[in-house]
């Protein structure tokens, strides 16, 4: 019998290999866009027909190719981007494997026109199913135009496998957006069947994000920035109130490539966890930069998963950066910094108060060297989020003007605002036993008392557990509580945190516990029921959310301990609640995602009186 092993012809080998790189029209789009970017283009047009099934054309104004290079570019492993294996560790370009064009040419009819800026004439090359049909000089613009027609024309099985036009278009839009979001310095256009889908001028990143994601997004974006030795983080996150029920607006880029990273996604969602309703997803556009040696770059061209060597540090840095941005935004939006006049109140000779750069919750950042600032105790309350120097300066200025020594620095600003129009009056009114109504400089503010209290307690409980500083009131007569077996199990598991909250509690066998002391603000009566409710909440939270134990416990406690709707409050109680609320790191959304404050602006009110 004769020998049976043969080498496959190039065209067949290419077709097989092509399947790995080009799975659908969107993969070809991605490769062509990336090549155009690597070529240094400033303007890139993407034109497709029938969702890329009939035509994909990419026109760029990049460096172009010489007649020899354009012929070479279709050879497998033909690349201008690396020369040696060492180069692999220093890659700055998007492509480097030299596979894309060979793959595309194996399964489509391709026509290229390209001219280098310095050449008088360009080259036109036609290649189908890996075989060159013609190559000739031609007049064309500087740059390169790639036309890819009838993708998979020679691989019917593959072609039949493609999804409906709308589905394939969706994939192409995804790829296009991922590329456009990294290159605001390049103008892009994109049309399908003659219908323009995107028209993106050169702009700054924020504007580009808004242009790519659709109008109206500009105001929703909060900047995130963090520079460390391990990673540089920049980009934007969506305001909590713009969170969505779909994951559509979540983008990570590492060294200018779109990546997926469930672990880092978790870091961002954690940072948002007490700010958005359950079942919603935060929007984010986050750009990570790491040393090329710290990231596994030798990834498959169609894969978006990457590995970071220091993923744990990056997780912590990212979470803290997002948290800090949310805190800054939340404070500045609540205090209406744009309406600067409120800060003029009582600050003589200091007309221009600068918006302070607040770094909220520095304990989230393991890379900050400063020791934890001391917690301040104020009457009836346990913790305040520490302010930075600037805040303290601002407040102490205000404070020195104050006639009322009782207020701590932080609450002063708020008093300044609320007090401005109503020094002689109380300034607070309760509505429906549910909302606190108050005049502020820019209008009328309504505060949901229960949501507000939940926020305050949540931050206080969390701080207690993290600062390991509990306030306990001893029980005159120790109480025993008997729990279900599973609740008893949970209490035993959570005992360290429960003790940090201020409970003096000991197991007494058979699912029973002796309670010798409770947190200072804990009511004496109904201890058993309250504990059971808290545990119930804790378990519910475990089902839906991925919270750490402290976070979860603080939530469950806050939920059960907060004042209810329907409770009448005295003016002093309202004042205290409002003061405490605005000392929170995130005063406008409750841990369970409810809105706490809303402002009816003077403008709005005045408009109603116009005919
Ligand atoms: P890779 O991008 O991995 O190098 P490709 O097969 O995508 O491999 O491209 C092969 C080569 O063709 C590139 O290295 C580059 O030199 C050249 N090339 C491809 N597209 C363009 C373009 N739009 N403008 C200029 N040169 C290009
Ligand atoms: Mg390429």
């Amino acid at each position: 019998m004769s020998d049976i092993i043969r080498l496959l012809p190039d065209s067949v080998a290419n077709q097989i290999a092509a399947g790995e790189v080009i799975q659908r029209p969107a993969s070809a789009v991605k490769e062509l866009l990336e090549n155009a970017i690597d070529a240094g283009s400033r303007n890139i047009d993407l034109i497709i027909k029938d969702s890329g099934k009939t035509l994909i054309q990419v026109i760029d104004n990049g460096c172009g190719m010489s007649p020899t290079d354009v012929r070479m570019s279709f050879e497998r492993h033909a690349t201008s981007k690396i020369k040696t294996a060492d180069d692999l560790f220093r890659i700055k370009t998007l492509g480097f494997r030299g596979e894309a064009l060979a793959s595309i040419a194996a399964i489509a009819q391709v026509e290229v026109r390209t001219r280098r800026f310095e050449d008088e004439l360009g080259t036109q090359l036609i290649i189908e199913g890996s075989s060159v049909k013609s190559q000739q000089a031609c007049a064309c613009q500087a740059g390169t135009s790639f036309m890819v027609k009838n993708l998979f024309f020679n691989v019917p099985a593959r072609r039949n496998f493609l999804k409906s036009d709308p589905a394939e278009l969706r994939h192409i839009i995804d790829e296009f957006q991922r590329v456009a979001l990294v290159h605001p310095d390049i103008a892009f256009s994109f049309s399908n069947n003659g219908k323009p889908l995107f028209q993106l001028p050169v702009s700054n990143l924020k504007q580009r994000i808004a242009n790519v994601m659709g109008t109206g997004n500009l105001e929703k974006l909060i900047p995130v920035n963090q520079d460390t030795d391990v990673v540089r983080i920049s980009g934007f996150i969506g305001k909590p109130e713009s969170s969505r029920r779909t994951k559509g607006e979540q983008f990570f880029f590492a060294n200018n490539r779109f990546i997926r990273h469930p672990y880092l996604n978790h870091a961002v969602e954690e940072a948002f966890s007490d700010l958005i309703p359950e079942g919603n997803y935060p929007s984010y556009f986050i750009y990570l930069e790491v040393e090329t040696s710290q990231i596994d770059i030798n990834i498959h061209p169609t894969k978006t998963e990457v590995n970071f060597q220091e993923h744990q540090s990056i997780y912590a840095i990212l979470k803290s950066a997002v948290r800090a941005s949310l805190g800054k935004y939340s404070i500045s939006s609540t205090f209406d910094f744009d309406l600067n006049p409120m800060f003029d109140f009582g600050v003589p000779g200091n007309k221009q108060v600068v918006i302070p750069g607040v770094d909220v919750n520095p304990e989230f950042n393991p890379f900050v060297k400063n020791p934890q600032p001391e917690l301040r105790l104020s009457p009836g309350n346990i913790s305040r989020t520490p302010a930075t120097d600037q805040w303290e300066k601002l407040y102490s200025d205000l404070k020195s003007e104050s006639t009322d020594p009782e207020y701590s620095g932080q609450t002063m600003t708020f008093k300044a605002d609320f007090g401005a129009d109503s020094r002689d009056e109380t300034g607070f009114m309760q509505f429906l036993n549910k909302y606190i109504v108050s005049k502020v400089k820019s209008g009328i503010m309504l505060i949901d008392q229960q949501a507000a209290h939940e926020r305050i307690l949540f931050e206080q409980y969390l701080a207690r557990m993290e600062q390991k500083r509990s306030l306990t009131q001893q029980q005159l007569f120790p109480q025993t509580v008997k729990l279900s077996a599973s609740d008893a199990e949970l209490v035993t598991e959570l005992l360290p945190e429960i003790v940090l909250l201020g409970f003096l509690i000991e197991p007494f066998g058979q699912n029973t516990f002796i309670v010798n002391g409770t947190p200072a603000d804990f009511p004496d009566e109904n201890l058993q029921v309250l504990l059971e409710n808290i545990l119930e909440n804790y378990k519910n939270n475990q089902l839906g959310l991925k919270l750490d134990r402290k976070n979860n416990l603080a939530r469950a406690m806050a939920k059960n301990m907060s004042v209810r709707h329907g409770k009448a409050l005295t003016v002093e109680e309202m004042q205290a609640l409002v003061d405490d609320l605005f000392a929170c790191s995130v005063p406008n959304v409750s841990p369970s995602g409810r809105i706490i404050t809303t402002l009816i602006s003077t403008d709005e009110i005045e408009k109603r009186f116009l005919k």
Side-chain angles (χ1 to χ4, degrees):
M1 205 172 146
S2 60
D3 300 332
I4 52 172
I5 298 181
R6 273 171 290 166
L7 277 177
L8 287 173
D10 263 4
S11 60
V12 179
N14 280 347
Q15 233 186 62
I16 293 169
E20 277 188 37
V21 185
I22 308 297
Q23 286 143 349
R24 49 172 21 104
S27 348
V29 167
K30 172 178 183 268
E31 294 297 339
L32 295 178
L33 290 177
E34 290 188 346
N35 279 347
I37 289 163
D38 284 344
S41 311
R42 297 287 110 209
N43 190 95
I44 300 174
D45 298 313
L46 169 62
I47 297 161
I48 62 171
K49 284 207 180 111
D50 305 319
S51 300
K53 291 173 185 172
T54 331
L55 172 75
I56 298 167
Q57 183 171 19
V58 172
I59 306 169
D60 70 44
N61 64 352
C63 63
M65 286 176 272
S66 71
T68 322
D69 280 350
V70 70
R71 178 67 197 82
M72 269 300 285
S73 71
F74 287 96
E75 295 295 329
R76 188 157 298 279
H77 308 305
T79 179
S80 56
K81 298 168 193 174
I82 56 171
K83 292 204 175 75
T84 68
D86 277 353
D87 292 344
L88 272 175
F89 301 98
R90 293 189 284 271
I91 282 170
K92 291 272 173 348
T93 52
L94 293 163
F96 59 88
R97 301 164 64 107
E99 276 180 322
L101 292 185
S103 300
I104 292 171
I107 44 107
Q109 299 156 337
V110 180
E111 179 185 334
V112 195
R113 286 159 172 268
T114 185
R115 176 166 74 84
R116 294 183 299 183
F117 189 75
E118 63 272 27
D119 296 340
E120 211 151 292
L121 273 181
T123 312
Q124 183 210 45
L125 181 91
I126 297 176
I127 180 166
E128 276 183 32
S130 298
S131 64
V132 176
K133 299 285 169 200
S134 83
Q135 172 159 7
Q136 59 191 34
C138 74
C140 59
Q141 313 174 12
T144 304
S145 156
F146 263 96
M147 284 216 251
V148 176
K149 293 184 215 159
N150 303 319
L151 204 63
F152 302 124
F153 79 103
N154 53 354
V155 201
R158 200 88 202 192
R159 194 170 172 88
N160 296 336
F161 192 69
L162 292 177
K163 302 240 167 62
S164 68
D165 278 10
E168 292 300 340
L169 182 60
R170 192 61 245 164
H171 283 293
I172 295 179
I173 291 175
D174 282 349
E175 293 294 355
F176 176 82
Q177 289 181 325
R178 291 167 188 176
V179 168
L181 283 171
V182 184
H183 299 281
D185 52 333
I186 301 176
F188 289 91
S189 76
F190 174 12
S191 69
N192 182 34
N193 294 338
K195 189 172 147 249
L197 297 176
F198 292 87
Q199 192 62 264
L200 308 173
V202 171
S203 62
N204 62 24
L205 180 60
K206 190 176 182 186
Q207 185 66 56
R208 171 57 58 91
I209 293 172
N211 289 346
V212 169
M213 302 319 296
T215 47
N217 269 278
L218 205 56
E219 320 79 72
K220 293 189 200 151
L221 299 172
I222 313 170
V224 180
N225 284 296
Q226 186 72 265
D227 234 332
T228 67
D229 289 347
V230 181
V231 63
R232 281 177 51 192
I233 298 173
S234 60
F236 293 87
I237 51 177
K239 291 181 182 173
E241 52 271 32
S242 69
S243 67
R244 301 151 57 100
R245 294 214 142 255
T246 64
K247 292 193 170 206
E249 296 192 350
Q250 302 193 326
F251 293 88
F252 279 125
F253 302 93
N255 295 358
N256 288 344
R257 270 168 210 270
F258 171 82
I259 60 160
R260 273 180 236 275
H261 212 289
Y263 180 68
L264 293 184
N265 173 65
H266 185 260
V268 178
E269 293 196 338
E270 274 284 299
F272 268 94
S273 67
D274 56 337
L275 299 177
I276 59 177
E278 247 178 278
N280 276 24
Y281 299 98
S283 305
Y284 58 80
F285 307 86
I286 289 177
Y287 300 76
L288 308 163
E289 270 179 68
V290 296
E291 288 287 322
T292 41
S293 61
Q294 296 297 302
I295 185 171
D296 180 3
I297 190 86
N298 198 8
I299 40 172
H300 192 276
T302 60
K303 295 247 165 67
T304 46
E305 280 78 17
V306 300
N307 294 323
F308 294 104
Q309 239 158 52
E310 303 209 41
H311 61 278
Q312 278 166 338
S313 309
I314 296 177
Y315 181 101
I317 297 167
L318 180 61
K319 182 172 161 189
S320 108
V322 172
R323 196 70 197 163
S325 293
L326 284 168
K328 266 185 224 178
Y329 151 69
S330 163
I331 286 179
S332 60
S333 73
T334 312
F335 282 115
D336 252 347
F337 275 112
D338 293 342
L339 305 170
N340 214 358
M342 77 181 230
F343 283 110
D344 291 346
F345 174 74
V347 189
N350 192 2
K351 284 276 176 260
Q352 281 182 315
V353 180
V354 194
I355 298 175
V358 197
D359 205 354
V360 177
N361 281 352
E363 70 267 26
F364 276 109
N365 190 341
F367 301 90
V368 169
K369 293 256 156 53
N370 308 345
Q372 292 275 312
E374 271 284 300
L375 276 185
R376 288 195 212 147
L377 294 182
S378 63
N381 284 302
I382 311 303
S383 77
R384 289 277 148 87
T385 307
T388 62
D389 295 354
Q390 288 144 299
W391 275 104
E392 274 169 6
K393 166 142 190 350
L394 181 63
Y395 292 126
S396 61
D397 285 352
L398 283 163
K399 202 174 174 182
S400 63
E401 279 300 298
S402 170
T403 48
D404 188 348
E406 182 194 334
Y407 288 98
S408 72
Q410 279 127 322
T411 53
M412 268 315 298
T413 16
F414 197 66
K415 191 167 160 49
D417 183 27
F418 275 81
D421 282 351
S422 57
R423 296 211 92 180
D424 311 326
E425 310 152 30
T426 59
F428 295 111
M429 185 194 112
Q430 203 183 10
F431 180 58
L432 299 176
N433 282 352
K434 196 171 173 188
Y435 303 107
I436 299 170
V437 184
S438 179
K439 283 196 270 185
V440 291
K441 199 76 185 176
S442 46
I444 293 175
M445 187 179 264
L446 296 173
I447 298 165
D448 180 319
Q449 64 189 43
Q450 184 173 347
H453 199 210
E454 208 177 312
R455 161 58 58 189
I456 295 164
L457 291 175
F458 170 75
E459 294 202 3
Q460 288 179 358
Y461 292 136
L462 208 58
R464 279 193 218 177
M465 286 186 271
E466 267 158 18
Q467 313 292 329
K468 307 203 166 32
R469 191 190 275 245
S470 56
L471 285 188
T472 302
Q473 62 191 3
Q474 291 279 337
Q475 297 279 59
L476 220 43
F477 305 102
Q479 302 191 42
T480 51
V481 290
K482 186 159 171 56
L483 301 169
S484 71
S486 71
D487 278 359
E489 188 64 37
L490 186 56
V491 169
T492 312
E493 185 193 326
L494 291 175
L495 213 51
E497 284 83 11
I498 290 178
V499 168
L500 284 175
L501 279 172
F503 286 96
L504 293 177
I505 191 167
E506 286 168 41
F508 196 60
Q510 293 203 321
N511 306 332
T512 306
F513 295 84
I514 294 196
V515 182
N516 288 308
T518 52
D521 46 3
F522 210 79
D524 263 355
E525 66 272 20
N526 290 335
L527 183 62
Q528 167 108 23
V529 176
L530 204 50
L531 267 182
E532 280 171 352
N533 288 345
I534 291 168
L535 295 172
E536 186 61 33
N537 268 131
Y538 187 95
K539 286 183 286 187
N540 282 343
N541 291 347
Q542 271 181 325
L543 296 179
L545 309 161
K546 283 180 243 114
L547 301 171
D548 64 35
R549 285 152 55 142
K550 286 179 184 153
N551 208 303
N552 189 346
L553 194 59
R555 268 187 195 224
M557 284 278 288
K559 181 142 191 154
N560 284 282
M561 301 286 293
S562 53
V563 293
R564 294 296 129 117
H565 289 151
K567 173 138 176 15
L569 299 176
T570 65
V571 172
E572 289 72 33
E573 283 171 330
M574 288 191 265
Q575 175 77 59
L577 197 79
V578 166
D579 286 348
D580 288 345
L581 176 64
F582 288 94
C584 286
S585 67
V586 186
N588 53 355
V589 196
S590 82
S592 41
R594 281 162 44 194
I595 291 172
I596 299 175
T597 59
T598 183
L599 183 80
I600 306 173
S601 72
T602 314
D603 278 358
E604 262 173 88
I605 295 169
E606 275 171 357
K607 260 192 215 129
R608 286 169 186 245
F609 290 99
L610 299 173
K611 65 163 179 22

